[in-house]
Amino acid sequence: MVKHLRVDREEKYEILEKWFLKDLEMIDGKEADTDNPYFDMHFHKVYNLEAYSCASKYTFARTLNKLNEIYLKKDLKIVNFDDTYLNDDSIWSSNNRDCLVLMRICFYASNLLCLSLCPLS
C-alpha cells in the first residue's frame, strides 16, 4: 500500500504496507454496477482501499489476476467486478484496455449517430 504525498511542488510516495500475493484470498470490488474506486482486499484480515479511479481499480485487479496466473496458479477470487473488463479473452482486451474501451464506445456511438441521420429510401 502506497501513500501519495504532495509537498509544495514535490510529489512523494511512501510505502505503508506490503503483502504477499500468495496470501491474498479475495478482491472485492464492492459494487460492479457503479463507477467507484473502492475495493477490499482479503488477507488474514480485510483491508478497505481506494484506488485513484475506477479505471485504476480495474487495472490493479487485472494485474493481480495476471500475476497470479503466471506465478501462483491458485484460485484467486475476484468478486463484484465487471468480467468484461477483467478477462483477456473479452472483445475489449488490449494492453491499454481503458483507452480502447472508450475508443470503441465512441466509434459505435458515432456509427449510430450517422445511421440515425441517414434518410431511409
Side-chain angles (χ1 to χ4, degrees), residues 28-91:
D28 183 358
K30 299 215 178 190
E31 298 175 27
D33 298 337
T34 59
D35 189 18
N36 72 49
Y38 302 101
F39 64 100
D40 292 339
M41 292 179 63
H42 295 247
F43 291 94
H44 58 280
K45 73 178 215 177
V46 178
Y47 292 91
N48 301 315
L49 301 171
E50 179 182 0
Y52 181 74
S53 66
C54 186
S56 61
K57 174 177 87 169
Y58 273 85
T59 301
F60 182 68
R62 282 191 301 268
T63 302
L64 289 180
N65 194 30
K66 192 65 162 177
L67 288 171
N68 179 56
E69 288 175 8
I70 294 171
Y71 296 108
L72 298 178
K73 297 175 179 63
K74 74 172 194 167
D75 183 30
L76 178 61
K77 293 180 192 173
I78 301 178
V79 297
N80 294 321
F81 280 86
D82 188 342
D83 289 335
T84 306
Y85 302 108
L86 283 179
N87 298 327
D88 284 336
D89 59 349
S90 72
I91 61 169

Side-chain angles (χ1 to χ4, degrees), residues 4-12:
H4 176 249
L5 304 167
R6 185 175 291 181
V7 181
D8 295 326
R9 294 185 178 179
E10 188 176 328
E11 293 189 37
K12 294 183 181 181

